[in-house]
């Protein structure tokens, strides 16, 4: 699967039942040796009224925590 095919998918946390935006809004960490994806860095958003803004902090989502890449979303299970 190409990044262009999954970039617009919504990232959803199965454990907390919340959305973390789209894959386009993230950064990725790669393994230097073979180029595989190690983790996705998701911006941490804080809600103030009807608007969300980034707190300049990132949530690191290990690639192996992804449960399913579906037609519309990427579902992962966060570690409590």
């Amino acid at each position: 699967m190409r990044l262009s095919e999954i970039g617009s998918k919504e990232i959803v946390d199965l454990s907390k039942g919340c959305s973390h935006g789209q894959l386009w809004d993230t950064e990725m960490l790669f393994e230097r040796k073979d180029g595989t994806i190690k983790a996705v860095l998701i911006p941490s958003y804080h809600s103030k009224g009807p608007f969300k803004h980034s707190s300049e902090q990132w949530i690191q989502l290990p690639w192996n925590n992804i449960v399913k890449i579906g037609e519309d979303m990427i579902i992962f299970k966060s570690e409590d």
Side-chain angles (χ1 to χ4, degrees), residues 25 28 45 47 54:
D25 301 328
M28 292 188 185
Y45 290 104
S47 170
S54 176

Side-chain angles (χ1 to χ4, degrees), residues 4-23:
S4 61
E5 296 171 337
I6 64 172
S8 62
K9 294 183 188 294
E10 184 178 3
I11 300 172
V12 176
D13 184 344
L14 182 64
S15 299
K16 297 178 183 174
C18 62
S19 173
H20 289 284
Q22 296 181 324
L23 191 64

Side-chain angles (χ1 to χ4, degrees), residues 29-38:
L29 296 175
F30 294 93
E31 181 64 51
R32 287 186 187 264
K33 294 179 183 178
D34 59 11
T36 58
I37 301 170
K38 289 176 28 176

Side-chain angles (χ1 to χ4, degrees), residues 29 38-42 58-63 65 76 79:
L29 296 175
K38 289 176 28 176
V40 177
L41 297 175
I42 302 169
W58 296 85
I59 299 168
Q60 186 167 332
L61 163 62
W63 190 254
N65 284 20
F76 75 96
E79 299 169 353

